[in-house]
Amino acid sequence: MRKDFLWGGATAANQCEGGWQEDGRGMAIVDVIPHGPNRLPVMKGIMDYRTLPRGSNYPGREAISFYSHYKEDIALFAEMGFQCYRFSFSWSRIFPTGEEETPNEAGLKFYENVIDELLSYNIQPVVTICHFDIPLNLVEKYGSWKNRKVIDCYLKYCQAIFSRFHDKVRYWITFNEINMVMHLPFMGAGLRFEVGENILETQYQAAHHELVASALAVRLARQIDPKLQIGCMLAAGSVYPYSCRPEDVWESRKMDRENYFFIDVQARGEYPGYAKKFLERNHLNISMDPEDEKILKENTVDFISLSYYNSRTVSTQGEEEASGGNVFASAKNPYLTCSEWGWPIDPAGFRITLNDLYDRYQKPLFVVENGLGAVDTVEENGWIEDDYRIDYLRTHIHAMIKACDEDGVDIIGYTPWGCIDLVSASTGEMSKRYGMIHVDKDDLGKGTLNRRRKHSFYWYQNVIRHNGENLLCEMSVNL
Ligand code: BGP
């Protein structure tokens, strides 16, 4: 492992910050994504949020109110020993409609306070510029990333935050899980579809705009301060063939490429051959400006960040059961157990994924999400014995250390997701908890918002203290 390896934790404004009407913040997509049965159709862009029943519950509006609790939360992160903290800015807190000429000073000030608080504990901020987040005005007026105009709005936002924070924030991530545009297009990229619209074409058009925006953000960052490190971010998890049938193996390669496509462009600087052929074969006409090729080629990312929750499995035969998982469902892998939400648990798959990505790109990786969503029980004396979470983290961290120490994968740091409980992106629930810090709030939005340390809090503190070396004695995983 690197000597300067960064241990920390990760959250995002849309699921944690709340304060949706504070200090002039404008409406964002998260404010109109409800809890309950309408959530999935809204996130997919096939149900218009404007048709939702009155009185719908929008859990992101308050979330866990990091907005008013940030000092307390950062003090807890510091107590755990965090060396970095990954979080996102809310775009509409800084540009409420996305179109203002100048940024909202109160919004910038809030993030300055958060950053200064982190730095006062020697915690490095790692900022995601856009984590399932876009001002609602840009959705309404331009159709979000469907429209090239949004690239300019994004760059204006980048200009404001890079120039304000470049001497305090080194690591930036342009888009969280950029491949989410293919799976949950409204949540991932603010896309809504009209009846009869060519959905796939719109998704790839929006993706192209995001890819160009990401490359231009890299260029801008380098102009403002060459020390800045800019990364892309993939919802990762390698795809296994269900069997050694060559058809299954080929299918798994194809599925991997659907995700790699984005990183291939961001890290290598051009559309790969298989993507060009896919667009051609499916008659998808993506409009590109003549200078786009050059922009993509000249402004590749410095590092590749990723989330890993599970591996995936695919078969061409359809004889297997389905299984859940982050981003999309796949075939059930008979060798793996699953979380309470049906996501496979596969630490060896983490090592495989890290190796796959490093072999493919040869750029430093940053693991900015990993973790187990589980129901926690607060005992009468207030204690939370979350040993299932510890088991998950222990085996995954161990696999990551092996990837570094035995396979030579270069990893900048590790920030487990939802280090403090927050709203689940896929379900809108609070009960799907990832944290080492418990937040007293339920799925209906009731609770005191009090913070409480879980068993995993002390366990992770110890991992950081020993730079993960204690785990090598604690366990042995064969792979
Ligand atoms: C990733 C997202 C996060 C986070 C995580 C866990 O896809 O980047 O925002 O939510 O998954 O997923 P969930 O909250 O659905 O359990």
Side-chain angles (χ1 to χ4, degrees):
M1 276 166 85
R2 284 181 172 211
K3 287 219 160 30
D4 57 353
F5 187 87
L6 295 170
W7 295 96
T11 65
N14 69 318
Q15 289 156 262
C16 141
E17 198 172 279
W20 69 298
Q21 289 178 314
E22 299 291 333
D23 288 336
R25 177 182 175 280
M27 291 278 283
I29 51 174
V30 62
D31 303 328
V32 297
I33 301 182
H35 175 55
N38 292 327
R39 186 174 182 86
L40 194 58
V42 170
M43 291 195 300
K44 284 186 166 170
I46 51 176
M47 178 176 191
D48 190 331
Y49 60 85
R50 289 169 301 191
T51 64
L52 288 168
R54 281 173 80 90
S56 295
N57 165 16
Y58 300 99
R61 292 183 179 186
E62 181 191 57
I64 59 156
S65 197
F66 177 77
Y67 190 78
S68 49
H69 288 70
Y70 73 91
K71 286 194 178 181
E72 178 188 351
D73 294 344
I74 292 171
L76 287 164
F77 299 156
E79 190 183 325
M80 259 192 284
F82 280 18
Q83 295 146 354
C84 71
Y85 170 52
R86 173 194 178 221
F87 63 109
S88 72
F89 288 176
S90 153
W91 183 346
S92 63
R93 197 176 287 293
I94 297 174
F95 286 95
T97 66
E99 294 197 281
E100 291 78 3
E101 281 308 311
T102 48
N104 171 26
E105 177 53 32
L108 285 173
K109 188 69 197 143
F110 169 66
Y111 293 114
E112 187 156 74
N113 292 340
V114 170
I115 290 167
D116 287 345
E117 193 71 16
L118 289 167
L119 294 175
S120 75
Y121 290 104
N122 254 331
I123 300 175
Q124 270 211 52
V126 176
V127 173
T128 314
I129 299 167
C130 188
H131 190 131
F132 303 158
D133 199 354
I134 179 164
L136 204 57
N137 173 63
L138 297 181
V139 173
E140 308 248 332
K141 204 156 155 192
Y142 302 111
S144 188
W145 287 101
K146 286 182 195 184
N147 194 318
R148 197 172 173 102
K149 160 97 184 144
V150 173
I151 299 179
D152 298 334
C153 304
Y154 178 83
L155 287 176
K156 190 167 46 162
Y157 164 47
C158 289
Q159 169 76 42
I161 57 180
F162 291 160
S163 52
R164 178 76 167 239
F165 299 121
H166 68 96
D167 52 349
K168 296 182 176 178
V169 180
R170 178 159 189 248
Y171 290 107
W172 300 84
I173 296 166
T174 53
F175 290 96
N176 179 64
E177 295 186 337
I178 190 163
N179 48 331
M180 193 61 94
V181 62
M182 305 311 294
H183 306 288
L184 295 172
F186 184 72
M187 186 176 79
L191 303 183
R192 280 179 309 177
F193 305 106
E194 309 299 331
V195 179
E197 184 170 350
N198 183 338
I199 291 184
L200 202 57
E201 187 167 273
T202 301
Q203 285 171 305
Y204 275 104
Q205 183 66 67
H208 178 72
H209 291 148
E210 287 192 306
L211 291 167
V212 172
S214 176
L216 288 171
V218 171
R219 185 166 82 185
L220 183 64
R222 290 190 182 135
Q223 283 161 357
I224 291 177
D225 188 341
K227 285 194 303 299
L228 299 186
Q229 293 289 297
I230 314 291
C232 55
M233 200 289 199
L234 176 72
S238 293
V239 182
Y240 302 152
Y242 188 74
S243 75
C244 52
R245 265 186 221 111
E247 292 81 359
D248 285 359
V249 176
W250 180 238
E251 199 57 29
S252 70
R253 296 276 165 90
K254 283 200 318 201
M255 255 174 105
D256 267 337
R257 282 172 162 185
E258 284 170 21
N259 296 305
Y260 288 151
F261 157 65
F262 298 86
I263 310 305
D264 283 354
V265 178
Q266 290 174 296
R268 296 163 157 177
E270 59 192 17
Y271 275 54
Y274 68 81
K276 289 183 188 157
K277 290 291 173 197
F278 174 85
L279 297 174
E280 213 177 283
R281 203 165 51 245
N282 290 284
H283 310 290
L284 304 177
N285 290 315
I286 307 305
S287 86
M288 302 188 188
D289 278 11
E291 70 271 18
D292 287 358
E293 238 176 65
K294 192 163 180 283
I295 292 172
L296 295 173
K297 192 71 200 169
E298 288 178 354
N299 301 289
T300 53
V301 289
D302 299 303
F303 67 93
I304 289 152
S305 72
L306 65 135
S307 62
Y308 175 86
Y309 292 90
N310 51 264
S311 57
R312 290 127 185 174
T313 306
V314 70
S315 154
T316 50
Q317 306 295 309
E319 82 271 50
E320 65 299 321
E321 274 178 73
S323 146
N326 187 31
V327 184
F328 54 84
S330 67
K332 191 166 169 53
N333 183 332
Y335 302 100
L336 302 176
T337 56
C338 288
S339 77
E340 287 161 286
W341 271 265
W343 294 19
I345 298 177
D346 183 11
F350 189 24
R351 182 173 179 182
I352 293 167
T353 300
L354 291 168
N355 274 277
D356 283 349
L357 288 172
Y358 193 62
D359 285 351
R360 194 174 179 99
Y361 301 115
Q362 296 285 305
K363 295 204 182 207
L365 305 182
F366 202 154
V367 180
V368 296
E369 288 187 34
N370 174 235
L372 178 75
V375 172
D376 288 333
T377 310
V378 184
E379 292 170 17
E380 260 172 40
N381 60 5
W383 181 245
I384 298 158
E385 190 67 41
D386 57 341
D387 291 352
Y388 34 91
R389 183 168 296 108
I390 294 175
D391 282 346
Y392 181 100
L393 293 170
R394 177 192 288 122
T395 50
H396 283 75
I397 294 173
H398 188 257
M400 174 183 70
I401 293 175
K402 288 215 163 202
C404 295
D405 291 353
E406 291 184 23
D407 311 331
V409 176
D410 182 18
I411 303 182
I412 299 169
Y414 176 75
T415 61
W417 174 249
C419 46
I420 179 164
D421 291 345
L422 37 65
V423 178
S424 156
S426 56
T427 70
E429 294 163 310
M430 273 303 299
S431 50
K432 190 181 187 190
R433 297 175 184 275
Y434 286 86
M436 296 136 189
I437 300 166
H438 181 269
V439 178
D440 178 31
K441 184 168 180 178
D442 66 18
D443 290 344
L444 301 173
K446 301 217 164 44
T448 59
L449 292 177
N450 282 346
R451 277 54 172 162
R452 192 189 292 275
R453 297 165 187 79
K454 303 182 192 178
H455 184 195
S456 55
F457 179 100
Y458 300 102
W459 175 84
Y460 190 48
Q461 185 182 52
N462 202 34
V463 171
I464 298 178
R465 191 176 292 141
H466 292 96
N467 203 25
E469 276 157 25
N470 57 324
L471 299 185
L472 303 178
C473 320
E474 256 181 52
M475 61 173 296
S476 70
V477 169
N478 292 323
L479 176 70

